[in-house]
Amino acid sequence: MFAGGMLLSFTLLFFAGWLQWTEARGWPHETDLDGPYLLARRRGRFRVNLLIGTCGVLILIATIAGVGLVFAAAWTTVTMMLFVIVVLAGLDAWRTHQHQQDKVRRMRERSL
């Protein structure tokens, strides 16, 4: 169980760092029409990456502490945080969809 907890913890920490690094580098095909959306997206994804990293730290703490009150509290917090991450991911998908619809509308208006 100790090795599994360490592996999961370091995987989440690596994944959170990689996601943040990728987001900071930017994505291909970003245009001037994307400015306000990109700012909101970077802030939102920073929060999600921070939550993922926090989950990794809490799993590390639970793994080191062993079975007991700290273990139960850490894993309960991780479970709640993962639920929040799923909700925030859904909101991000909705925001991206709205932005793409608005971007297509603006591009049509610009071409006419």
Side-chain angles (χ1 to χ4, degrees):
M1 191 160 128
F2 184 80
M6 296 298 275
L7 180 64
L8 181 60
S9 173
F10 290 127
T11 301
L12 283 176
L13 289 169
F14 172 77
F15 188 62
W18 177 77
L19 284 173
Q20 187 58 37
W21 176 73
T22 304
E23 185 66 32
R25 287 183 51 222
W27 297 90
H29 311 297
E30 294 176 350
T31 66
D32 59 335
L33 297 174
D34 298 326
Y37 163 73
L38 291 175
L39 184 62
R41 183 185 76 183
R42 283 193 179 107
R43 278 194 310 254
R45 290 189 180 173
F46 173 75
R47 290 181 188 118
V48 169
N49 297 338
L50 187 64
L51 287 173
I52 293 171
T54 304
C55 285
V57 169
L58 286 172
I59 292 170
L60 181 64
I61 291 169
T63 301
I64 292 171
V67 178
L69 184 60
V70 173
F71 181 87
W75 274 104
T76 302
T77 306
V78 166
T79 304
M80 289 180 202
M81 288 174 74
L82 290 176
F83 176 74
V84 170
I85 289 170
V86 169
V87 170
L88 290 175
L91 291 173
D92 183 50
W94 179 76
R95 179 176 50 220
T96 300
H97 177 72
Q98 293 295 96
H99 168 69
Q100 291 297 327
Q101 284 184 332
D102 186 50
K103 184 177 174 181
V104 168
R105 181 188 54 77
R106 286 185 285 158
M107 289 171 67
R108 284 184 187 149
E109 289 173 357
R110 186 183 284 182
S111 67
L112 296 174

